[in-house]
C-alpha cells in the first residue's frame, strides 16, 4: 500500500488528506508538532474572547480520523532524506514515505529587535501562542497595557482580543495608514477611525526600536523610533509571517522564501509536493503573489494536490482573487484586484464611496480606457461571491456593475441597502446616468 505522509495539520494538509481518502485507499499519515488535532486557526481569537471553547474550533470530532483511516502523529520533523524517502522525527524516529506533502505553514516574523525574546513578548499564530497569552495577559490587573507591533490582520485581531478584557492597547503601525500596503487610501483611512473609535491607541508611521526588561527579565516598556517610551506588560509582535521551511535547508529541495513549486504543486524532487503558506510558485499566477498565506488558497491547494496524488495530475488554477476578513466589527471582502493607492497600476482607476455616518464603504477598480471591471472591496456590505465571479469572468464594464449591484447584495432582507447612493456618487463623478436595477433571475432561468 502506498504511504502518503503529510507534514502539517493546517487547512491545506488536512484538506489534502480528506480528498486523498475520498479518492483512494492509500495509507495517510499526518505529522504535526503543534496539536494532536486540526483546528481552525482563524478562530483562536474567539477562544480567548470567551465566545468558544477550544474544542469548538476543531471542525472534526476526535473520532473522525480513525474512522477515516487517517493516522495522526505528534512530532517535529527535523530532516527530510529524499534519496532514502525517509523523515527523521525529533532526531530519533525514522518514518518512510512513498509520497510526501509539505504543508508546514508559516512562522511569525522577527526582525532582530533588542528584547524580542523577553518574557511577555509573543506572537499570535499557534495554539501555544494562545496558551501563552492566557499567562501573559489574563486580565487588566496582570497586563496593565499591551503594545502591538505590526499593522496587519493578526495585529488587529490581537487588539480586539485584548480590548475584550479591557486591557489598554497601543498599536504601532509603520505605514501612513493602517494596512495601506494593501488597501486604497479611502478604505485604510476609514479603518484608522474605526480603530480609534474602539479605544485603541493607534500610532501611525511609528516603528519599534527596542523592548526593555525589568529586573526579572520580563518586558516593562518599549521605545519607538520617535523616542517615546511606552510602559507595558505585553508586546505582541505581529509584523506578518514567513514560510516555515528552515528544517529543509540541507534537504536538496529547492527553496526561495518558501518551497519552490510548479503549477502542479510539485517540488524539484520527485514525489515531494508543497501546499499552503509554505509553497512558493516558481512563476506568479497573474497578479497573485508567489506565496499566498491565505486560508482559502490553502484549501484549494489541498484539493488540487490530492487529485495528482490519486493519479489525476491537476494544475493549480485558483481563479479570481478573493479574500475576506473582519476588522473589529466590520466585515471585509475583496474580489478581483483593487491595488493600494501606492501600488495602483497605470491603467487602473478607482471609484470610492463611503457612507456619511456609518463605517461602511466600497471601492471599485476598473480600467481607465475600456472601463472594464477589475475588482471590488467592501467594508460592512456583504456581496455574493458567485455574482462577482460571474462579472469578472464575463469581462463586464464598471457601468454594468453599478447598474446591477443589487444582484450581488447578500445582506438579509431587512438590512439597509446603499446601491442608489453608490450609483448617484458614481454618476456625479463620471458623468453617467446609471439607474440601479435588479434582474428577475427567476424569470430568466425559467425562460432559459
Amino acid at each position: 500500500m502506498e504511504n502518503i505522509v503529510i507534514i502539517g495539520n493546517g487547512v491545506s494538509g488536512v484538506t489534502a488528506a480528506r480528498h486523498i481518502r475520498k479518492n483512494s485507499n492509500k495509507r495517510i499519515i499526518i505529522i504535526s508538532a503543534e496539536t494532536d488535532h486540526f483546528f481552525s486557526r482563524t478562530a483562536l481569537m474567539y477562544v480567548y474572547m470567551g465566545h468558544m471553547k477550544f474544542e469548538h474550533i476543531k471542525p472534526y470530532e476526535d473520532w473522525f480520523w480513525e474512522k477515516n483511516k487517517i493516522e495522526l502523529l505528534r512530532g517535529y520533523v527535523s530532516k527530510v532524506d529524499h534519496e532514502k524517502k525517509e523523515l527523521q522525527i525529533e532526531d530519533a524516529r525514522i518514518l518512510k514515505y512513498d509520497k510526501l506533502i509539505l504543508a508546514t505553514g508559516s512562522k511569525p516574523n522577527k526582525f532582530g529587535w533588542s528584547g524580542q525574546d523577553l518574557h511577555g513578548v509573543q506572537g499570535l499564530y499557534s495554539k501555544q501562542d494562545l496558551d501563552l497569552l492566557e499567562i501573559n495577559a489574563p486580565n487588566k490587573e496582570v497586563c496593565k497595557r499591551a503594545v502591538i507591533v505590526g499593522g496587519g490582520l493578526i495585529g488587529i485581531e490581537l487588539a480586539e482580543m485584548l480590548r475584550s478584557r479591557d486591557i489598554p492597547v497601543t498599536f504601532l503601525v509603520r505605514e501612513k495608514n493602517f494596512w495601506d500596503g494593501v488597501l486604497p487610501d479611502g478604505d485604510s483611512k476609514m479603518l484608522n477611525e474605526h480603530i480609534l473609535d474602539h479605544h485603541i491607541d493607534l500610532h501611525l508611521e511609528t516603528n519599534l526600536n527596542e523592548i526593555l526588561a525589568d529586573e526579572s527579565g520580563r518586558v516593562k516598556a518599549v521605545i519607538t523610533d520617535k523616542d517615546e517610551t511606552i510602559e507595558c506588560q505585553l508586546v505582541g509582535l505581529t509584523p506578518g509571517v514567513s514560510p516555515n521551511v528552515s528544517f529543509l535547508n540541507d534537504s536538496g529541495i529547492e527553496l526561495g522564501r518558501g518551497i519552490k513549486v510548479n503549477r502542479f504543486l510539485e517540488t524539484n524532487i520527485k514525489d515531494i509536493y508543497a501546499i499552503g503558506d509554505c509553497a512558493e510558485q516558481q512563476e506568479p499566477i497573474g497578479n497573485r503573489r508567489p506565496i499566498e498565506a491565505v486560508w482559502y488558497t490553502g484549501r484549494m491547494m489541498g484539493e488540487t494536490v490530492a487529485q495528482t496524488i490519486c493519479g489525476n495530475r491537476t494544475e493549480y488554477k485558483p481563479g479570481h482573487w478573493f479574500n475576506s476578513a473582519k476588522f473589529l466589527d466590520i466585515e471585509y471582502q475583496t474580489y478581483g484586484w483593487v491595488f493600494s493607492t501606492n501600488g495602483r497600476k497605470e491603467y487602473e482607476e478607482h471609484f470610492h464611496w463611503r457612507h456619511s455616518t456609518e463605517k461602511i464603504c466600497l471601492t471599485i477598480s476598473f480600467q481607465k480606457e475600456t472601463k472594464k471591471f477589475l475588482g471590488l472591496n467592501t467594508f460592512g456590505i456583504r456581496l455574493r461571491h458567485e455574482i462577482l465571479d460571474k462579472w469578472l469572468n464575463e469581462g463586464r464594464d464598471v457601468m454594468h456593475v453599478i447598474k446591477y449591484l443589487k444582484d450581488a447584495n447578500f445582506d438579509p432582507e431587512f438590512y439597509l441597502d446603499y446601491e442608489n447612493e453608490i450609483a448617484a456618487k458614481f454618476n456625479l463623478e463620471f458623468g453617467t446616468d446609471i439607474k440601479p436595477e435588479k434582474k428577475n433571475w427567476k424569470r430568466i432561468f425559467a425562460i432559459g
Side-chain angles (χ1 to χ4, degrees), residues 16 99-102 259-276 279-283 285 300-318:
K99 286 186 169 61
L100 175 64
I101 301 174
L102 301 167
I259 303 165
K260 293 281 194 175
V261 294
N262 62 17
R263 289 288 193 268
F264 296 89
L265 305 171
E266 299 161 332
T267 70
N268 63 310
I269 304 295
K270 188 177 185 298
D271 294 330
I272 299 182
Y273 308 81
I275 57 176
E280 179 180 355
Q281 287 287 328
Q282 292 169 356
E283 297 293 335
I285 301 172
M300 285 194 293
M301 287 185 196
E303 293 173 359
T304 301
V305 82
Q307 290 295 317
T308 296
I309 293 284
C310 293
N312 177 28
R313 191 165 181 260
T314 301
E315 184 177 349
Y316 174 58
K317 295 181 178 179

Side-chain angles (χ1 to χ4, degrees), residues 290-407:
I291 299 171
E292 294 182 331
V294 177
W295 181 90
Y296 91 98
T297 55
R299 185 195 65 197
M300 285 194 293
M301 287 185 196
E303 293 173 359
T304 301
V305 82
Q307 290 295 317
T308 296
I309 293 284
C310 293
N312 177 28
R313 191 165 181 260
T314 301
E315 184 177 349
Y316 174 58
K317 295 181 178 179
H320 297 296
W321 174 254
F322 165 75
N323 201 7
S324 63
K326 192 168 74 70
F327 296 92
L328 301 163
D329 54 353
I330 298 179
E331 292 186 25
Y332 157 71
Q333 295 176 313
T334 184
Y335 304 85
W337 295 109
V338 184
F339 292 103
S340 68
T341 298
N342 291 335
R344 190 187 302 186
K345 308 297 184 183
E346 290 182 5
Y347 57 78
E348 187 184 2
E349 184 148 5
H350 286 176
F351 163 70
H352 179 75
W353 168 85
R354 178 175 170 180
H355 192 272
S356 57
T357 57
E358 303 292 328
K359 296 294 190 297
I360 296 170
C361 72
L362 169 146
T363 300
I364 299 177
S365 170
F366 58 96
Q367 287 187 351
K368 290 179 183 177
E369 299 298 326
T370 65
K371 308 303 179 191
K372 180 182 177 181
F373 171 55
L374 299 175
L376 182 150
N377 289 348
T378 62
F379 289 85
I381 302 173
R382 293 180 181 178
L383 297 182
R384 297 181 183 277
H385 192 156
E386 69 273 16
I387 297 294
L388 275 295
D389 218 44
K390 182 173 183 289
W391 289 342
L392 289 165
N393 284 333
E394 292 173 347
R396 295 291 187 175
D397 61 32
V398 66
M399 286 76 76
H400 180 93
V401 172
I402 297 292
K403 183 173 183 177
Y404 293 108
L405 196 56
K406 288 183 179 181
D407 288 340

Side-chain angles (χ1 to χ4, degrees), residues 194-216:
H194 194 59
I195 290 166
L196 292 168
D197 286 347
H198 279 73
H199 309 290
I200 296 167
D201 183 25
L202 179 63
H203 291 215
L204 297 170
E205 297 183 279
T206 304
N207 289 286
L208 173 66
N209 266 5
E210 185 180 0
I211 305 170
L212 304 180
D214 65 14
E215 60 280 356
S216 67

Side-chain angles (χ1 to χ4, degrees), residues 25-197:
N25 223 3
K26 301 175 190 294
R27 185 186 183 196
I28 304 171
I29 303 170
I30 299 178
I31 307 173
S32 172
E34 183 179 8
T35 54
D36 289 328
H37 300 101
F38 170 52
F39 66 92
S40 174
R41 198 172 301 280
T42 55
L44 279 174
M45 64 184 294
Y46 301 113
V47 178
Y48 181 86
M49 294 168 73
H51 303 324
M52 294 178 168
K53 295 181 179 179
F54 183 74
E55 55 264 32
H56 298 155
I57 69 171
K58 293 192 290 186
Y60 307 106
E61 299 286 352
D62 292 351
W63 49 258
F64 170 89
W65 310 100
E66 185 176 355
K67 179 183 177 182
N68 287 278
K69 298 181 180 177
I70 298 173
E71 301 172 43
L72 304 180
L73 175 61
R74 186 82 177 267
Y76 175 77
V77 176
S78 57
K79 184 179 179 182
V80 175
D81 186 336
H82 69 83
E83 292 179 348
K84 294 181 180 179
K85 288 196 167 183
E86 290 180 349
L87 305 177
Q88 191 166 319
I89 302 172
E90 293 171 323
D91 301 320
R93 182 175 174 182
I94 298 296
L95 182 67
K96 292 276 190 180
Y97 69 85
D98 292 302
K99 286 186 169 61
L100 175 64
I101 301 174
L102 301 167
T104 52
S106 299
K107 60 182 180 181
N109 288 331
K110 286 188 175 182
F111 294 111
W113 291 293
S114 175
Q116 68 180 18
D117 296 318
L118 292 171
H119 294 298
V121 181
Q122 68 165 94
L124 181 67
Y125 185 78
S126 66
K127 171 63 164 59
Q128 287 78 7
D129 290 333
L130 177 68
D131 295 339
L132 188 58
L133 192 63
E134 285 288 2
I135 296 169
N136 287 331
N139 51 53
K140 61 183 178 181
E141 283 71 39
V142 172
C143 181
K144 296 179 173 58
R145 177 167 292 277
V147 172
I148 298 172
V149 181
L153 295 176
I154 298 175
I156 197 69
E157 286 180 0
L158 181 55
E160 182 177 1
M161 292 163 67
L162 295 167
R163 290 300 299 135
S164 75
R165 298 194 184 185
D166 295 324
I167 296 171
V169 174
T170 296
F171 201 177
L172 307 184
V173 175
R174 68 179 181 179
E175 292 84 12
K176 187 171 67 172
N177 295 296
F178 177 81
W179 221 34
D180 70 2
V182 175
L183 299 175
D185 280 352
D187 297 350
S188 56
K189 286 177 179 176
M190 187 187 78
L191 290 179
N192 292 346
E193 297 171 22
H194 194 59
I195 290 166
L196 292 168
D197 286 347

